[in-house]
Amino acid sequence: MNYTLEEKEAFMREALKEAEIALEHDEIPIGCVIVKDGKIIGRGHNAREELQRAVMHAEIMAIEDANLSEESWRLLDCTLFVTIEPCVMCSGAIGLARIPNVVYGAKNQKFGAAGSLYDILTDERLNHRVDVETGVLESECAAIMQDFFRNRRKK
Ligand SMILES: [Zn+2]
Protein backbone atom coordinates (compact mmCIF):
# COMPACT_ATOMS: atom_id res chain seq x y z
CA MET A 1 0.00 0.00 0.00
CA ASN A 2 1.53 3.32 -0.92
CA TYR A 3 -1.09 5.93 -0.24
CA THR A 4 0.00 9.28 1.13
CA LEU A 5 -1.23 10.37 4.55
CA GLU A 6 -3.52 12.85 2.79
CA GLU A 7 -5.08 10.04 0.72
CA LYS A 8 -5.41 7.79 3.76
CA GLU A 9 -7.20 10.55 5.65
CA ALA A 10 -9.55 11.10 2.69
CA PHE A 11 -10.48 7.39 2.66
CA MET A 12 -10.91 7.39 6.43
CA ARG A 13 -13.28 10.37 6.05
CA GLU A 14 -15.35 8.18 3.71
CA ALA A 15 -15.37 5.47 6.39
CA LEU A 16 -16.52 8.11 8.89
CA LYS A 17 -19.40 8.99 6.53
CA GLU A 18 -20.45 5.35 6.72
CA ALA A 19 -20.22 5.52 10.52
CA GLU A 20 -22.62 8.46 10.42
CA ILE A 21 -25.15 6.32 8.53
CA ALA A 22 -25.00 3.83 11.42
CA LEU A 23 -25.52 6.71 13.82
CA GLU A 24 -28.72 7.71 12.00
CA HIS A 25 -30.06 4.24 12.81
CA ASP A 26 -29.05 4.72 16.45
CA GLU A 27 -26.38 2.07 16.35
CA ILE A 28 -22.72 1.88 17.25
CA PRO A 29 -21.10 4.21 14.70
CA ILE A 30 -18.44 2.23 12.88
CA GLY A 31 -17.80 2.62 9.15
CA CYS A 32 -15.58 0.96 6.57
CA VAL A 33 -14.44 1.35 2.97
CA ILE A 34 -12.33 -0.96 0.81
CA VAL A 35 -10.01 0.68 -1.71
CA LYS A 36 -8.35 -0.76 -4.79
CA ASP A 37 -6.08 1.27 -7.08
CA GLY A 38 -7.24 4.46 -5.39
CA LYS A 39 -10.93 3.70 -5.92
CA ILE A 40 -13.53 2.70 -3.35
CA ILE A 41 -14.93 -0.72 -4.33
CA GLY A 42 -16.83 -1.52 -1.13
CA ARG A 43 -18.58 0.41 1.62
CA GLY A 44 -20.19 -0.67 4.85
CA HIS A 45 -21.41 0.41 8.25
CA ASN A 46 -22.53 -1.37 11.37
CA ALA A 47 -26.11 -2.44 10.60
CA ARG A 48 -26.97 -4.79 13.42
CA GLU A 49 -30.03 -2.80 14.49
CA GLU A 50 -31.05 -1.67 11.00
CA LEU A 51 -31.03 -5.22 9.59
CA GLN A 52 -31.35 -7.18 12.86
CA ARG A 53 -28.36 -9.25 11.83
CA ALA A 54 -25.83 -10.17 14.51
CA VAL A 55 -22.89 -10.41 12.12
CA MET A 56 -23.52 -7.28 10.05
CA HIS A 57 -20.50 -5.29 11.16
CA ALA A 58 -19.10 -2.50 8.97
CA GLU A 59 -16.23 -4.65 7.68
CA ILE A 60 -18.48 -7.57 6.78
CA MET A 61 -20.84 -5.30 4.80
CA ALA A 62 -17.88 -3.68 3.00
CA ILE A 63 -16.31 -7.07 2.17
CA GLU A 64 -19.63 -8.32 0.76
CA ASP A 65 -19.97 -5.13 -1.28
CA ALA A 66 -16.40 -5.42 -2.63
CA ASN A 67 -16.85 -9.15 -3.38
CA LEU A 68 -19.89 -8.25 -5.47
CA SER A 69 -18.20 -5.42 -7.36
CA GLU A 70 -15.06 -7.50 -8.00
CA GLU A 71 -17.06 -10.65 -8.76
CA SER A 72 -14.49 -12.43 -6.65
CA TRP A 73 -14.08 -13.56 -3.05
CA ARG A 74 -10.40 -12.59 -3.18
CA LEU A 75 -9.70 -8.95 -2.44
CA LEU A 76 -6.02 -8.93 -3.34
CA ASP A 77 -4.32 -5.55 -3.73
CA CYS A 78 -6.99 -3.91 -1.59
CA THR A 79 -6.75 -1.75 1.51
CA LEU A 80 -9.52 -1.81 4.08
CA PHE A 81 -10.11 1.40 6.04
CA VAL A 82 -12.21 1.10 9.17
CA THR A 83 -12.86 3.70 11.86
CA ILE A 84 -12.37 1.30 14.80
CA GLU A 85 -10.07 -1.68 15.32
CA PRO A 86 -11.70 -4.84 13.89
CA CYS A 87 -13.19 -7.47 16.23
CA VAL A 88 -12.34 -11.20 16.19
CA MET A 89 -14.98 -12.01 13.56
CA CYS A 90 -14.02 -9.18 11.22
CA SER A 91 -10.29 -9.86 11.56
CA GLY A 92 -11.03 -13.45 10.55
CA ALA A 93 -13.09 -12.27 7.59
CA ILE A 94 -10.31 -9.90 6.45
CA GLY A 95 -7.99 -12.92 6.33
CA LEU A 96 -10.52 -15.06 4.49
CA ALA A 97 -10.95 -12.32 1.88
CA ARG A 98 -7.12 -12.15 1.51
CA ILE A 99 -7.06 -8.40 2.10
CA PRO A 100 -3.37 -7.49 2.48
CA ASN A 101 -3.64 -4.02 4.08
CA VAL A 102 -5.75 -2.65 6.91
CA VAL A 103 -5.81 0.91 8.22
CA TYR A 104 -7.89 1.66 11.28
CA GLY A 105 -8.56 4.86 13.19
CA ALA A 106 -8.96 4.17 16.90
CA LYS A 107 -8.24 1.15 19.04
CA ASN A 108 -10.94 -0.91 20.70
CA GLN A 109 -9.54 -2.03 24.04
CA LYS A 110 -12.58 -4.19 24.82
CA PHE A 111 -13.08 -6.08 21.56
CA GLY A 112 -10.14 -5.29 19.29
CA ALA A 113 -8.49 -8.25 17.58
CA ALA A 114 -5.90 -6.32 15.60
CA GLY A 115 -3.51 -5.54 18.41
CA SER A 116 -5.54 -4.81 21.55
CA LEU A 117 -7.12 -8.01 22.85
CA TYR A 118 -5.78 -10.36 20.18
CA ASP A 119 -3.60 -9.88 17.17
CA ILE A 120 -5.24 -12.04 14.55
CA LEU A 121 -4.11 -9.99 11.55
CA THR A 122 -0.41 -10.52 12.23
CA ASP A 123 -0.48 -13.91 13.98
CA GLU A 124 2.24 -16.03 12.38
CA ARG A 125 0.32 -19.24 13.02
CA LEU A 126 -2.29 -18.18 10.47
CA ASN A 127 -1.49 -18.43 6.79
CA HIS A 128 -2.56 -14.90 5.95
CA ARG A 129 -0.78 -11.93 7.43
CA VAL A 130 -1.89 -8.37 7.05
CA ASP A 131 -0.06 -5.06 7.12
CA VAL A 132 -1.78 -2.98 9.80
CA GLU A 133 -1.58 0.75 10.31
CA THR A 134 -3.37 2.57 13.10
CA GLY A 135 -4.07 6.11 14.18
CA VAL A 136 -5.37 7.68 10.94
CA LEU A 137 -7.91 10.33 12.05
CA GLU A 138 -7.82 8.59 15.42
CA SER A 139 -9.42 11.40 17.41
CA GLU A 140 -12.36 11.79 14.97
CA CYS A 141 -12.95 8.04 14.89
CA ALA A 142 -12.85 7.79 18.69
CA ALA A 143 -14.97 10.91 19.23
CA ILE A 144 -17.99 9.67 17.25
CA MET A 145 -17.99 6.51 19.40
CA GLN A 146 -17.59 8.42 22.67
CA ASP A 147 -20.45 10.79 21.76
CA PHE A 148 -22.67 7.84 20.92
CA PHE A 149 -22.07 6.06 24.23
CA ARG A 150 -22.38 9.31 26.21
CA ASN A 151 -25.75 10.09 24.60
CA ARG A 152 -26.95 6.53 25.12
CA ARG A 153 -26.18 6.70 28.82
CA LYS A 154 -28.25 9.88 29.07
CA LYS A 155 -31.33 8.20 27.61
ZN1 LIG B 1 -16.48 -6.82 13.72
Side-chain angles (χ1 to χ4, degrees):
M1 171 186 48
N2 37 25
Y3 296 117
T4 65
L5 180 62
E6 212 172 29
E7 289 169 324
K8 284 185 252 186
E9 288 183 349
F11 291 129
M12 194 60 84
R13 273 200 192 88
E14 291 299 314
L16 277 164
K17 277 186 200 163
E18 287 293 317
E20 275 159 26
I21 298 172
L23 203 55
E24 283 164 21
H25 293 275
D26 206 25
E27 58 196 320
I28 300 173
I30 300 175
C32 179
V33 295
I34 296 173
V35 178
K36 185 181 180 183
D37 302 330
K39 259 183 52 194
I40 293 174
I41 59 162
R43 313 183 68 103
H45 54 271
N46 179 28
R48 193 170 59 175
E49 301 292 338
E50 179 188 349
L51 302 175
Q52 289 299 310
R53 302 257 306 275
V55 301
M56 201 43 87
H57 287 186
E59 299 93 317
I60 301 295
M61 188 191 277
I63 287 170
E64 298 235 309
D65 194 26
N67 283 157
L68 276 174
S69 66
E70 289 294 291
E71 295 181 339
S72 171
W73 62 269
R74 284 186 196 85
L75 299 176
L76 305 170
D77 309 316
C78 289
T79 302
L80 180 144
F81 292 82
V82 62
T83 55
I84 300 294
E85 180 179 355
C87 71
V88 170
M89 172 185 73
C90 293
S91 297
I94 287 163
L96 293 175
R98 305 288 187 265
I99 294 170
N101 302 296
V102 166
V103 179
Y104 68 79
K107 286 193 171 293
N108 185 342
Q109 305 290 355
K110 273 191 189 157
F111 299 104
S116 291
L117 210 55
Y118 301 96
D119 206 348
I120 288 173
L121 296 180
T122 58
D123 192 317
E124 293 188 353
R125 292 168 296 181
L126 299 172
N127 68 352
H128 180 76
R129 273 182 293 285
V130 181
D131 254 9
V132 182
E133 185 178 336
T134 71
V136 174
L137 297 186
E138 180 175 3
S139 49
E140 287 93 329
C141 294
I144 187 172
M145 290 284 274
Q146 285 155 1
D147 289 350
F148 172 79
F149 286 110
R150 197 175 303 128
N151 289 334
R152 197 153 81 165
R153 275 194 298 273
K154 274 190 223 150
K155 278 178 193 165

